[in-house]
Amino acid sequence: MGTCCSKEPNFGEVVGVVEDVVEEKEYYYEGGEDDDYVGIGDFGAKMRLHGASKFISMYSQQGKKGVNQDAMTVWEEFIGTKDMFFCGVFDGHGPYGHKVARHVRDTLPSRLSAAIKLSQANTIKYQTENGDGDDSDDTNSEESKDSDNSDNNNKKKNGTMMLSSWEASFVKCFKDMDEELSLDASIDSFCSGTTAVTVVKQGCHLIIANLGDSRAVLCTRGNGSQLVPVQLTVDLKPNIAGEAERIKNSNGRVFAMAEEPEVFRIWMPDEDCPGLAMARAFGDFCLKDYGLISTPEVSYRRLTKNDEFVVLATDGIWDVLSNYDVIRIVASARKRSMAAKMLIKYAVRAWRSKYPGCRVDDCAVICLFLKSRTVLTRSFSEVSRVSANHTELAETYSEVSRASIHRSEIAAVPHKARGHGYEALQAKTKDPEGVKRVKSAVKYPRSRKSSKEFGAVPEN
C-alpha cells in the first residue's frame, strides 16, 4: 500500500535500466508538439486523451488484469484562457470501473469549466458592486516603500481567495458528477467506481483536487539545484484517522484481512463485501451510506521559478516507484514527448522485478511541464552525469533484482501508519519499501476472527 508521504531517494532501484532505455529509445513516442490532437472542448479548449504537446506528455498502458480501467484527459486553454490547463487521471475499479472512469473523464472537465466561468462572473460582479476592484494605479509614492510587503500580502490574499472559490466549484462539480452517475442506467456503478486526481494550472496558480488514491507530485529544485519531490495529494485510504472515523460513524467497517494485513478496506455493516481499499471515490453506491464519499480534498500551491513539472499518475506507478524515482525518470527524458511513456516502461520493469508473481497493474501518466524546453535539457544533462557508468548501474539493477525476487519477503514488510490530513504531506516519514498497493473492491468469504480490524463497528 502507498502512503501519503514522500519516500527517501532510492532511485538506484530503477536507474539500473537506463542503458536499456538508451538502446531502445526508438520504442518511445516522439511525436510533434501538436500530435494526437483530439478535439475542441467547452469555450474553445484543446482537448486531448493521449499523446503530447508543448507542455504535456501523457500515456496509458493496459496491465495484465483485463481491460484497461485507467483514463485521463488534458484540456489546454481551459475555459478559453491562455496558459490554463486542466489535467485529470482516473483509475476505475470493479466490474464496470472502466466505464465509470471514462464517463467521468468525458464529463467532469465540462462541468468544472462551466462552474469556474460562473464563479468568475460572480466574483467580478461582487468586486464591482463593493468597490473592490484593482486600484493599484492610485498608489502614491509614499506607499511605494511598502510595496514588497503589500505584494506578498496580496499574493497570500489572492491565493486564499482562489482556493476558497475554486474549492467550492470542485466540491459542487464532484457532487453533481456522482449524482449523475447514480441516475445513469447505462452504467452499473453500484459496485464499480473510479478515483480522480486533477489539477488546474493558471499562470503561477495550481489548484489540486483529489479523490481516492491516485497521486500528484511536483518536481522542484532545492538548495544546490537538486531535484526534490513535493507530494501534492494524500492517498485517501480507509485507515487514515479522519476517514476511518467518518466510516465508523456511518456504520461502515474498516479492517484488513489476514491474507493482506497491510491493505485496509471498507466493508458493509453486516457483510464482508465489497472490500474497497479507498475512502473516497465516484460511484460505489453500495457504500455511500456507510462512509464512502465523493467530496474531493482540494489544495492550492503558488508555483515558483524553482518548480519544474507536475506528474499525475494512477497507483500502478506509485506501487513500485517512489516519488523521487518518478521525478528523476521524467527529468531524464531526452524529449518531453517521451516522458510519460518512459515512466511507464520503468514501472512495468519494476513490477516484474519486485512482484514476479503478480499481474502488472494498469498505468496512466500525465506530465505537465512548467518551464521551457531549455531548462529540461539542462536537467537531463545533470541526470546523465549521475547515470554515466553503465557497468555500475547494471550491478545495482542485478542486486535489486536478486533482493526482491522472493514475494514472501515483500509480503513480510511491516505496514506503517499513514499520515493524517494535508499536514502529512510535510512529514518526512518513509514509505514502507516494497509493500503492495491494492485498490480494487473484492468480496472474500472469511471469518471475522481471521481479520485485523480497524475501528470496526461492534455487533449488536
Side-chain angles (χ1 to χ4, degrees), residues 245-321:
E245 182 180 2
R246 182 188 68 246
I247 296 166
K248 180 180 177 181
N249 291 338
S250 301
N251 294 323
R253 294 181 295 151
V254 176
F255 61 83
M257 299 183 303
E259 301 93 317
E260 45 178 18
E262 77 281 3
V263 184
F264 287 86
R265 299 177 181 274
I266 306 179
W267 308 85
M268 297 178 71
D270 302 314
E271 297 182 60
D272 289 344
C273 68
L276 184 65
M278 64 196 70
R280 307 189 191 193
F282 287 118
D284 298 302
F285 293 103
C286 63
L287 289 172
K288 283 291 164 65
D289 291 333
Y290 306 114
L292 183 75
I293 61 174
S294 59
T295 305
E297 188 173 75
V298 184
S299 57
Y300 168 81
R301 181 180 178 90
R302 183 176 178 84
L303 298 171
T304 71
K305 62 181 181 180
N306 294 326
D307 299 331
E308 300 276 351
F309 54 81
V310 178
V311 178
L312 291 80
T314 57
D315 63 354
I317 298 295
W318 312 111
D319 284 349
V320 292
L321 300 176

Coordinates of all heavy atoms in Angstrom, one line a residue, residues 245-321:
E245 N -12.8 7.4 11.0 CA -13.9 7.9 12.0 C -15.2 8.1 11.3 O -16.3 7.8 11.8 CB -13.4 9.1 12.7 CG -14.3 9.7 13.7 CD -13.8 10.9 14.4 OE1 -12.7 11.4 14.0 OE2 -14.5 11.5 15.3
R246 N -15.1 8.8 10.1 CA -16.3 9.0 9.3 C -17.0 7.7 8.9 O -18.2 7.6 9.0 CB -16.0 9.8 8.0 CG -17.2 10.2 7.2 CD -16.8 10.8 5.9 NE -16.2 9.8 5.0 CZ -14.9 9.9 4.6 NH1 -14.1 10.9 5.0 NH2 -14.4 9.0 3.8
I247 N -16.2 6.7 8.5 CA -16.8 5.5 8.1 C -17.5 4.7 9.2 O -18.6 4.2 9.1 CB -15.7 4.6 7.4 CG1 -15.2 5.2 6.1 CG2 -16.2 3.2 7.1 CD1 -13.9 4.7 5.6
K248 N -16.8 4.7 10.4 CA -17.3 4.1 11.6 C -18.6 4.8 12.0 O -19.5 4.1 12.4 CB -16.2 4.2 12.7 CG -16.7 3.5 14.0 CD -15.6 3.7 15.0 CE -16.0 3.1 16.4 NZ -15.0 3.2 17.4
N249 N -18.6 6.1 12.0 CA -19.8 6.8 12.4 C -21.0 6.6 11.4 O -22.2 6.8 11.8 CB -19.6 8.3 12.4 CG -18.6 8.7 13.6 OD1 -18.5 8.0 14.6 ND2 -18.0 9.8 13.5
S250 N -20.7 6.1 10.2 CA -21.8 5.7 9.3 C -22.1 4.3 9.3 O -22.8 3.8 8.3 CB -21.3 6.2 7.9 OG -21.1 7.6 7.8
N251 N -21.6 3.5 10.3 CA -21.8 2.1 10.4 C -21.1 1.2 9.4 O -21.4 0.0 9.3 CB -23.3 1.8 10.4 CG -24.1 2.3 11.5 OD1 -23.6 2.4 12.7 ND2 -25.3 2.8 11.3
G252 N -20.2 1.8 8.7 CA -19.3 1.0 7.9 C -18.2 0.4 8.7 O -18.0 0.8 9.9
R253 N -17.5 -0.6 8.2 CA -16.4 -1.2 8.9 C -15.1 -1.0 8.1 O -15.1 -1.0 6.9 CB -16.7 -2.7 9.1 CG -17.8 -3.0 10.0 CD -18.0 -4.4 10.2 NE -18.4 -5.1 9.0 CZ -18.1 -6.4 8.6 NH1 -17.4 -7.1 9.5 NH2 -18.5 -6.9 7.5
V254 N -14.0 -0.9 8.8 CA -12.7 -0.8 8.2 C -11.7 -1.9 8.8 O -11.5 -1.8 10.0 CB -12.0 0.6 8.4 CG1 -10.6 0.6 7.8 CG2 -12.9 1.6 7.7
F255 N -11.3 -2.8 8.0 CA -10.3 -3.8 8.6 C -9.5 -4.4 7.4 O -9.9 -4.3 6.2 CB -11.0 -4.8 9.4 CG -12.0 -5.7 8.7 CD1 -11.6 -6.8 7.9 CD2 -13.3 -5.4 8.9 CE1 -12.5 -7.6 7.3 CE2 -14.3 -6.2 8.2 CZ -13.9 -7.3 7.4
A256 N -8.4 -5.0 7.7 CA -7.6 -5.7 6.8 C -7.7 -7.2 7.0 O -7.9 -7.7 8.1 CB -6.1 -5.3 6.9
M257 N -7.7 -7.9 5.9 CA -7.8 -9.4 6.0 C -6.5 -10.0 6.4 O -5.4 -9.4 6.2 CB -8.2 -10.0 4.7 CG -9.6 -9.5 4.2 SD -10.1 -10.3 2.7 CE -8.7 -9.8 1.6
A258 N -6.6 -11.2 7.0 CA -5.3 -11.8 7.4 C -4.4 -12.1 6.3 O -3.2 -12.1 6.4 CB -5.7 -13.2 8.1
E259 N -5.0 -12.3 5.1 CA -4.2 -12.6 3.9 C -3.3 -11.4 3.4 O -2.3 -11.6 2.7 CB -5.0 -13.1 2.7 CG -5.8 -14.4 3.1 CD -7.2 -14.1 3.6 OE1 -7.3 -13.1 4.4 OE2 -8.2 -14.7 3.2
E260 N -3.8 -10.2 3.7 CA -3.1 -9.0 3.3 C -3.2 -8.0 4.4 O -4.0 -7.0 4.3 CB -3.7 -8.5 1.9 CG -5.3 -8.5 1.9 CD -5.8 -8.0 0.6 OE1 -5.1 -7.9 -0.4 OE2 -7.0 -7.6 0.6
P261 N -2.5 -8.1 5.4 CA -2.7 -7.3 6.6 C -2.3 -5.8 6.4 O -2.7 -5.0 7.2 CB -1.7 -7.9 7.6 CG -0.7 -8.6 6.8 CD -1.4 -9.1 5.6
E262 N -1.7 -5.5 5.3 CA -1.3 -4.1 5.1 C -2.4 -3.3 4.3 O -2.3 -2.1 4.1 CB 0.0 -4.0 4.4 CG 0.0 -4.3 2.9 CD 0.0 -5.8 2.5 OE1 -0.1 -6.6 3.5 OE2 0.0 -6.1 1.3
V263 N -3.4 -4.0 3.8 CA -4.4 -3.4 2.9 C -5.8 -3.3 3.7 O -6.5 -4.2 3.9 CB -4.7 -4.2 1.7 CG1 -5.7 -3.5 0.8 CG2 -3.4 -4.5 0.9
F264 N -6.0 -2.1 4.2 CA -7.3 -1.8 4.9 C -8.4 -1.5 3.9 O -8.2 -0.7 2.9 CB -7.1 -0.6 5.9 CG -6.3 -1.0 7.1 CD1 -4.9 -1.0 7.1 CD2 -6.9 -1.5 8.2 CE1 -4.2 -1.3 8.2 CE2 -6.2 -1.9 9.3 CZ -4.8 -1.8 9.3
R265 N -9.6 -2.0 4.1 CA -10.7 -1.9 3.2 C -12.0 -1.4 3.9 O -12.1 -1.6 5.1 CB -10.9 -3.2 2.5 CG -9.8 -3.7 1.6 CD -10.1 -5.0 1.0 NE -9.0 -5.6 0.2 CZ -8.8 -5.3 -1.1 NH1 -9.6 -4.5 -1.7 NH2 -7.8 -5.8 -1.7
I266 N -12.9 -0.9 3.1 CA -14.3 -0.6 3.7 C -15.2 -1.8 3.4 O -15.2 -2.3 2.3 CB -14.8 0.7 3.0 CG1 -13.9 1.9 3.1 CG2 -16.2 1.0 3.7 CD1 -14.4 3.1 2.5
W267 N -15.9 -2.1 4.4 CA -16.9 -3.2 4.3 C -18.3 -2.8 4.8 O -18.4 -1.9 5.6 CB -16.4 -4.4 5.2 CG -15.0 -4.9 4.9 CD1 -13.9 -4.3 5.5 CD2 -14.6 -5.9 4.0 NE1 -12.8 -5.0 5.0 CE2 -13.2 -5.9 4.1 CE3 -15.2 -6.8 3.1 CZ2 -12.4 -6.8 3.3 CZ3 -14.5 -7.7 2.4 CH2 -13.1 -7.7 2.5
M268 N -19.3 -3.4 4.3 CA -20.7 -3.1 4.7 C -20.8 -3.6 6.2 O -20.1 -4.4 6.7 CB -21.7 -3.8 3.8 CG -21.6 -3.3 2.4 SD -22.7 -4.1 1.2 CE -24.3 -3.4 1.8
P269 N -21.9 -3.1 6.9 CA -22.0 -3.4 8.3 C -22.2 -4.9 8.6 O -21.6 -5.4 9.6 CB -23.3 -2.6 8.7 CG -23.4 -1.5 7.7 CD -22.9 -2.1 6.4
D270 N -22.9 -5.6 7.8 CA -23.3 -7.0 8.1 C -22.8 -8.0 7.1 O -23.0 -9.2 7.2 CB -24.8 -7.1 8.2 CG -25.4 -6.2 9.2 OD1 -24.8 -6.1 10.3 OD2 -26.4 -5.5 9.0
E271 N -22.0 -7.5 6.1 CA -21.5 -8.4 5.1 C -20.0 -8.1 4.8 O -19.6 -7.0 4.8 CB -22.3 -8.3 3.7 CG -23.7 -8.7 3.8 CD -24.4 -8.6 2.5 OE1 -24.0 -9.3 1.5 OE2 -25.3 -7.8 2.3
D272 N -19.3 -9.2 4.5 CA -17.8 -9.0 4.2 C -17.7 -8.7 2.7 O -17.1 -9.4 1.9 CB -17.0 -10.2 4.6 CG -16.9 -10.3 6.1 OD1 -17.2 -9.3 6.8 OD2 -16.5 -11.4 6.6
C273 N -18.3 -7.6 2.3 CA -18.2 -7.1 0.9 C -18.5 -5.6 0.9 O -19.0 -5.1 1.9 CB -19.2 -7.8 0.0 SG -20.9 -7.5 0.4
P274 N -18.1 -4.8 0.0 CA -17.3 -5.2 -1.2 C -15.8 -5.2 -1.0 O -15.0 -5.7 -1.7 CB -17.7 -4.2 -2.2 CG -17.9 -2.9 -1.4 CD -18.5 -3.4 -0.1
G275 N -15.3 -4.6 0.1 CA -13.9 -4.5 0.4 C -13.2 -3.5 -0.5 O -12.3 -3.9 -1.3
L276 N -13.5 -2.2 -0.3 CA -12.9 -1.2 -1.2 C -11.7 -0.6 -0.4 O -11.9 -0.1 0.7 CB -14.0 -0.1 -1.5 CG -13.6 1.0 -2.4 CD1 -13.3 0.4 -3.8 CD2 -14.6 2.1 -2.5
A277 N -10.6 -0.5 -1.1 CA -9.3 -0.1 -0.5 C -9.1 1.4 -0.6 O -8.0 1.9 -0.8 CB -8.2 -0.9 -1.0
M278 N -10.1 2.2 -0.6 CA -10.0 3.7 -0.6 C -11.2 4.3 0.1 O -12.3 3.6 0.2 CB -9.9 4.2 -2.0 CG -11.1 4.0 -2.9 SD -10.8 4.2 -4.7 CE -9.8 2.8 -5.0
A279 N -11.0 5.5 0.6 CA -12.1 6.1 1.4 C -13.0 7.1 0.7 O -14.0 7.5 1.2 CB -11.5 6.8 2.6
R280 N -12.6 7.4 -0.5 CA -13.4 8.4 -1.4 C -13.3 7.9 -2.8 O -12.3 7.5 -3.3 CB -12.9 9.8 -1.2 CG -12.7 10.3 0.2 CD -12.4 11.8 0.3 NE -12.1 12.2 1.6 CZ -12.0 13.4 2.0 NH1 -12.2 14.4 1.2 NH2 -11.6 13.7 3.3
A281 N -14.4 8.0 -3.5 CA -14.5 7.6 -4.9 C -15.8 8.1 -5.5 O -16.8 8.3 -4.9 CB -14.3 6.1 -5.0
F282 N -15.8 8.2 -6.9 CA -17.0 8.3 -7.6 C -17.6 6.9 -7.7 O -16.9 5.9 -7.8 CB -16.8 8.8 -9.0 CG -16.4 10.3 -9.1 CD1 -15.2 10.7 -9.6 CD2 -17.3 11.2 -8.7 CE1 -14.9 12.0 -9.7 CE2 -17.0 12.6 -8.8 CZ -15.8 13.0 -9.3
G283 N -19.0 6.8 -7.7 CA -19.6 5.5 -7.8 C -19.6 4.7 -6.5 O -19.6 5.3 -5.4
D284 N -19.5 3.4 -6.6 CA -19.5 2.5 -5.5 C -20.7 2.8 -4.5 O -20.5 3.0 -3.3 CB -18.2 2.6 -4.7 CG -17.0 2.2 -5.5 OD1 -17.0 1.0 -6.0 OD2 -16.1 3.0 -5.7
F285 N -21.9 2.9 -5.1 CA -23.1 3.4 -4.3 C -23.5 2.4 -3.2 O -24.3 2.7 -2.3 CB -24.2 3.7 -5.2 CG -23.9 4.9 -6.1 CD1 -23.5 4.8 -7.4 CD2 -23.9 6.2 -5.6 CE1 -23.2 5.8 -8.2 CE2 -23.6 7.3 -6.4 CZ -23.2 7.1 -7.7
C286 N -23.0 1.2 -3.3 CA -23.3 0.2 -2.2 C -22.7 0.6 -0.9 O -23.1 0.2 0.2 CB -22.8 -1.2 -2.6 SG -21.0 -1.3 -2.8
L287 N -21.7 1.6 -1.0 CA -21.0 2.0 0.3 C -21.3 3.5 0.6 O -20.8 4.0 1.6 CB -19.5 1.8 0.1 CG -19.0 0.4 0.2 CD1 -17.5 0.3 -0.2 CD2 -19.2 -0.3 1.5
K288 N -22.1 4.2 -0.2 CA -22.2 5.6 0.0 C -23.0 5.9 1.3 O -22.9 7.0 1.8 CB -22.9 6.2 -1.2 CG -22.0 6.4 -2.4 CD -20.9 7.5 -2.1 CE -19.7 7.5 -3.0 NZ -20.0 7.8 -4.4
D289 N -23.8 4.9 1.8 CA -24.5 5.1 3.1 C -23.6 4.7 4.2 O -24.1 4.8 5.4 CB -25.8 4.3 3.1 CG -26.8 4.8 2.1 OD1 -26.8 6.1 1.9 OD2 -27.7 4.0 1.7
Y290 N -22.4 4.2 4.0 CA -21.6 3.7 5.0 C -20.2 4.3 5.1 O -19.2 3.7 5.5 CB -21.4 2.1 4.9 CG -22.8 1.4 4.8 CD1 -23.2 0.8 3.6 CD2 -23.6 1.4 5.9 CE1 -24.4 0.2 3.5 CE2 -24.9 0.8 5.8 CZ -25.3 0.2 4.6 OH -26.5 -0.4 4.6
G291 N -20.2 5.6 4.7 CA -18.9 6.4 4.9 C -18.1 6.7 3.7 O -17.3 7.6 3.8
L292 N -18.3 6.0 2.6 CA -17.6 6.4 1.4 C -18.2 7.7 0.8 O -19.4 7.8 0.8 CB -17.8 5.3 0.3 CG -17.0 5.5 -1.0 CD1 -15.5 5.3 -0.8 CD2 -17.5 4.6 -2.1
I293 N -17.4 8.7 0.4 CA -17.9 10.0 -0.1 C -17.2 10.3 -1.4 O -16.2 9.7 -1.7 CB -17.6 11.1 1.0 CG1 -16.1 11.3 1.3 CG2 -18.4 10.8 2.2 CD1 -15.8 12.4 2.2
S294 N -17.8 11.3 -2.1 CA -17.2 11.7 -3.3 C -16.7 13.2 -3.2 O -16.6 13.9 -4.2 CB -18.2 11.6 -4.5 OG -19.4 12.4 -4.2
T295 N -16.5 13.7 -2.0 CA -16.0 15.0 -1.8 C -14.5 15.0 -1.9 O -13.8 14.3 -1.2 CB -16.4 15.5 -0.4 OG1 -17.8 15.4 -0.2 CG2 -16.0 16.9 -0.2
P296 N -14.0 15.8 -2.8 CA -12.5 15.9 -3.0 C -11.8 16.6 -2.0 O -12.4 17.5 -1.3 CB -12.4 16.6 -4.4 CG -13.5 17.5 -4.4 CD -14.7 16.8 -3.8
E297 N -10.5 16.3 -1.8 CA -9.7 17.1 -0.9 C -9.0 18.2 -1.9 O -8.3 17.8 -2.8 CB -8.6 16.3 -0.2 CG -7.8 17.0 0.8 CD -6.9 16.1 1.6 OE1 -5.9 15.6 1.0 OE2 -7.2 15.8 2.7
V298 N -9.2 19.4 -1.6 CA -8.8 20.5 -2.5 C -7.7 21.3 -1.8 O -7.8 21.6 -0.6 CB -9.9 21.4 -2.9 CG1 -9.5 22.5 -3.9 CG2 -11.1 20.6 -3.5
S299 N -6.6 21.6 -2.6 CA -5.5 22.4 -2.0 C -5.0 23.3 -3.1 O -5.3 23.2 -4.3 CB -4.4 21.5 -1.5 OG -3.9 20.6 -2.5
Y300 N -4.2 24.3 -2.6 CA -3.6 25.3 -3.5 C -2.1 25.4 -3.3 O -1.6 25.3 -2.2 CB -4.3 26.7 -3.2 CG -3.6 27.9 -3.8 CD1 -3.8 28.2 -5.2 CD2 -2.7 28.6 -3.1 CE1 -3.2 29.3 -5.7 CE2 -2.0 29.7 -3.7 CZ -2.3 30.0 -5.0 OH -1.6 31.1 -5.6
R301 N -1.4 25.7 -4.4 CA 0.0 25.9 -4.4 C 0.4 27.0 -5.4 O -0.1 27.0 -6.5 CB 0.9 24.7 -4.7 CG 2.4 24.9 -4.6 CD 3.2 23.7 -4.9 NE 4.6 24.0 -4.9 CZ 5.4 23.8 -3.8 NH1 4.8 23.4 -2.7 NH2 6.7 24.1 -3.9
R302 N 1.2 28.0 -4.9 CA 1.7 29.0 -5.8 C 3.0 28.6 -6.3 O 3.9 28.3 -5.6 CB 1.8 30.4 -5.0 CG 2.3 31.5 -6.0 CD 2.4 32.8 -5.2 NE 2.8 33.9 -6.1 CZ 2.1 34.6 -6.9 NH1 0.8 34.3 -7.0 NH2 2.6 35.5 -7.7
L303 N 3.1 28.5 -7.6 CA 4.3 28.0 -8.3 C 5.4 29.0 -8.3 O 5.1 30.3 -8.3 CB 4.0 27.6 -9.8 CG 3.0 26.5 -9.9 CD1 2.6 26.4 -11.4 CD2 3.5 25.2 -9.4
T304 N 6.6 28.6 -8.2 CA 7.8 29.5 -8.2 C 8.7 29.1 -9.3 O 8.5 28.1 -10.0 CB 8.6 29.3 -6.9 OG1 9.2 28.1 -6.8 CG2 7.6 29.4 -5.7
K305 N 9.8 29.9 -9.5 CA 10.8 29.7 -10.5 C 11.5 28.4 -10.3 O 12.2 27.9 -11.3 CB 11.7 30.8 -10.6 CG 12.6 31.0 -9.4 CD 13.5 32.2 -9.5 CE 14.4 32.4 -8.2 NZ 15.3 33.5 -8.3
N306 N 11.5 27.8 -9.2 CA 12.2 26.5 -8.9 C 11.4 25.3 -9.3 O 11.9 24.2 -9.3 CB 12.5 26.4 -7.4 CG 13.5 27.5 -7.0 OD1 14.4 27.8 -7.7 ND2 13.4 28.0 -5.7
D307 N 10.1 25.5 -9.6 CA 9.2 24.3 -9.9 C 9.4 23.9 -11.4 O 9.4 24.8 -12.2 CB 7.8 24.7 -9.6 CG 7.6 25.0 -8.1 OD1 8.3 24.4 -7.3 OD2 6.6 25.8 -7.8
E308 N 9.5 22.6 -11.6 CA 9.8 22.1 -13.0 C 8.6 21.5 -13.7 O 8.3 21.9 -14.8 CB 10.9 21.1 -12.9 CG 12.3 21.6 -12.3 CD 13.1 22.3 -13.3 OE1 12.8 22.2 -14.5 OE2 14.1 22.9 -13.0
F309 N 8.0 20.6 -13.0 CA 6.8 19.9 -13.6 C 6.0 19.2 -12.6 O 6.4 19.0 -11.4 CB 7.3 18.9 -14.7 CG 8.3 17.8 -14.2 CD1 7.9 16.7 -13.5 CD2 9.7 18.0 -14.4 CE1 8.8 15.8 -13.0 CE2 10.6 17.1 -14.0 CZ 10.2 16.0 -13.3
V310 N 4.8 18.8 -13.0 CA 3.9 18.0 -12.1 C 3.6 16.7 -12.8 O 3.4 16.6 -14.0 CB 2.6 18.8 -11.9 CG1 1.6 17.9 -11.0 CG2 2.8 20.1 -11.2
V311 N 3.6 15.6 -12.0 CA 3.3 14.3 -12.5 C 2.0 13.8 -11.8 O 1.9 13.8 -10.6 CB 4.4 13.3 -12.3 CG1 4.0 11.9 -12.8 CG2 5.7 13.7 -13.0
L312 N 1.0 13.5 -12.6 CA -0.2 12.8 -12.1 C -0.2 11.4 -12.6 O 0.0 11.1 -13.8 CB -1.5 13.5 -12.7 CG -1.8 14.9 -12.2 CD1 -1.0 16.0 -12.9 CD2 -3.3 15.2 -12.3
A313 N -0.5 10.4 -11.7 CA -0.5 9.0 -12.2 C -1.4 8.2 -11.3 O -1.6 8.5 -10.1 CB 1.0 8.5 -12.1
T314 N -1.8 7.1 -11.8 CA -2.6 6.1 -11.1 C -1.6 5.3 -10.2 O -0.4 5.3 -10.4 CB -3.4 5.2 -12.0 OG1 -2.5 4.6 -13.0 CG2 -4.4 6.0 -12.8
D315 N -2.2 4.4 -9.4 CA -1.3 3.7 -8.4 C -0.5 2.6 -9.0 O 0.3 2.0 -8.4 CB -2.1 3.2 -7.2 CG -3.2 2.2 -7.6 OD1 -3.4 2.0 -8.8 OD2 -3.8 1.6 -6.7
G316 N -0.7 2.3 -10.3 CA 0.1 1.4 -11.0 C 1.6 1.9 -11.0 O 2.5 1.1 -11.1
I317 N 1.7 3.2 -11.0 CA 3.1 3.8 -10.9 C 3.6 3.8 -9.5 O 4.7 3.4 -9.2 CB 3.1 5.2 -11.5 CG1 2.6 5.2 -13.0 CG2 4.4 5.9 -11.3 CD1 3.6 4.5 -13.9
W318 N 2.8 4.3 -8.6 CA 3.3 4.5 -7.2 C 3.4 3.2 -6.4 O 4.1 3.2 -5.4 CB 2.3 5.5 -6.5 CG 2.0 6.7 -7.2 CD1 0.8 7.0 -7.8 CD2 2.9 7.7 -7.6 NE1 0.8 8.2 -8.5 CE2 2.1 8.7 -8.4 CE3 4.2 8.0 -7.4 CZ2 2.7 9.8 -8.9 CZ3 4.8 9.2 -7.9 CH2 4.0 10.1 -8.6
D319 N 2.8 2.1 -6.9 CA 3.0 0.8 -6.3 C 4.5 0.4 -6.2 O 4.9 -0.3 -5.3 CB 2.2 -0.3 -7.0 CG 0.8 -0.2 -6.8 OD1 0.3 0.5 -5.8 OD2 0.0 -0.9 -7.5
V320 N 5.2 0.8 -7.3 CA 6.6 0.3 -7.5 C 7.7 1.3 -7.5 O 8.9 1.0 -7.5 CB 6.6 -0.6 -8.7 CG1 5.8 -1.9 -8.5 CG2 6.1 0.2 -10.0
L321 N 7.3 2.6 -7.7 CA 8.3 3.7 -7.8 C 8.0 4.7 -6.7 O 6.8 5.1 -6.5 CB 8.2 4.3 -9.1 CG 8.5 3.4 -10.4 CD1 8.4 4.2 -11.6 CD2 9.9 2.8 -10.3

